Amino acid sequence: MKLRQQQDHKETLLRGVTLFETFSDDQIAELGSIMRPQVFNDKEAIITQGEGYQSTYHLIKSGRCEAHIDGVFSHTLGPGASFGETALLYDSPPIATVRAAEDSDVTAWTVSREDFQRIVVDAAMNPARVTNVVNVSTGPGSK
């Protein structure tokens, strides 16, 4: 996928996440622009319930994940689903274990808590800044 198509796809998925429903188009674009892909192999733990402080939000691009709470299967997550929002909001240990499903490599777009908070705080303090960052990343010559 070309870079512009990837960015558009991320933005479309982000607009479907309840957590971001109050974000402006510029905030969504900036969030999408800083999200980076990360690949997880089948059965690989992505986050583990109660272990440390998870500081990354994940938006599934491809593949399937399984969520377990207290060791019991809870549900399956697929493309467009996300997890790690407690990391963004509360800086707390994960409330579930999420791992790539058996026979399913997972690619997820990720953003750190620090980057997420920067977008929210910067937009609140200086709404024009978000527009300027987006114009730089999508201006002439970008693909």
Side-chain angles (χ1 to χ4, degrees):
M1 236 187 236
K2 294 181 181 175
L3 291 178
R4 182 72 246 162
Q5 289 173 317
Q6 285 182 354
Q7 179 69 13
D8 289 347
H9 185 62
K10 279 190 269 188
E11 290 177 25
T12 298
L13 292 178
L14 287 167
R15 283 187 183 90
V17 176
T18 303
L19 179 64
F20 308 124
E21 64 187 11
T22 61
F23 276 37
S24 69
D25 287 345
D26 289 340
Q27 286 174 298
I28 290 289
E30 184 174 9
L31 182 58
S33 73
I34 64 172
M35 294 183 91
R36 299 293 173 243
Q38 192 169 357
V39 177
F40 302 93
N41 297 316
D42 69 327
K43 302 184 199 174
E44 181 178 351
I46 301 169
I47 61 172
T48 303
Q49 181 179 3
E51 283 191 14
Y53 286 84
Q54 175 64 24
S55 63
T56 306
Y57 174 78
H58 300 81
L59 178 63
I60 301 171
K61 176 183 177 187
S62 62
R64 292 175 296 107
C65 294
E66 295 179 349
H68 294 79
I69 299 173
D70 297 327
V72 177
F73 173 79
S74 174
H75 58 282
T76 300
L77 302 159
S82 60
F83 56 94
E85 54 279 344
T86 56
L88 296 182
L89 301 174
Y90 308 112
D91 194 26
S92 63
I95 58 173
T97 295
V98 178
R99 68 179 67 248
E102 188 171 352
D103 299 323
S104 180
D105 290 341
V106 171
T107 299
W109 286 302
T110 63
V111 66
S112 71
R113 182 174 196 261
E114 294 77 22
D115 286 339
F116 172 79
Q117 288 182 329
R118 180 184 51 75
I119 291 170
V120 173
V121 170
D122 284 356
M125 300 299 285
N126 183 7
R129 185 202 172 284
V130 175
T131 301
N132 292 337
V133 169
V134 171
N135 287 340
V136 168
S137 66
T138 60
S142 62
K143 298 185 185 237

